[in-house]
Amino acid sequence: MRWEEVTVHVSSVGHASVSAAFEGVHSYESATRDTLHGFRSHEHMQRLLDSLRLSWLEPRFDADEFVAATVGLPASWEAPGK
């Protein structure tokens, strides 16, 4: 489709902000224990769910299920330089 024929451009701020939700989740590595610790993970996931609902999106999972799903993710990634 040609740019001038598009009625809602993909660069539209409204489209980008309504069709997505974002929440930053902080984690810190413990060098002495060689583990990764999430900071207030449940609160971050609850804010993500609140953002989704404000966008009229209804998630199938609750905050506890989101936290449980993310716990194993960092362990499956290899850190650069290791």
Side-chain angles (χ1 to χ4, degrees):
M1 180 171 270
R2 293 180 41 201
W3 181 266
E4 50 280 338
E5 293 175 357
V6 175
T7 56
V8 178
H9 287 279
V10 294
S11 63
S12 170
V13 173
H15 171 71
S17 62
V18 172
S19 62
F22 173 81
E23 176 65 28
V25 179
H26 302 275
S27 297
Y28 301 93
E29 184 176 7
S30 170
T32 57
R33 295 184 182 163
D34 196 30
T35 55
L36 192 64
H37 301 275
F39 181 74
R40 297 191 173 193
S41 298
H42 187 272
E43 289 89 341
H44 282 291
M45 294 303 176
Q46 188 58 56
R47 276 191 296 275
L48 175 63
L49 292 171
D50 293 342
S51 296
L52 289 170
R53 288 187 184 103
L54 285 172
S55 298
W56 298 91
L57 300 170
E58 191 58 43
R60 296 184 303 167
F61 307 102
D62 63 22
D64 291 328
E65 291 171 306
F66 270 121
V67 171
T70 59
V71 168
L73 290 175
S76 66
W77 300 335
E78 185 175 323
K82 284 195 174 184

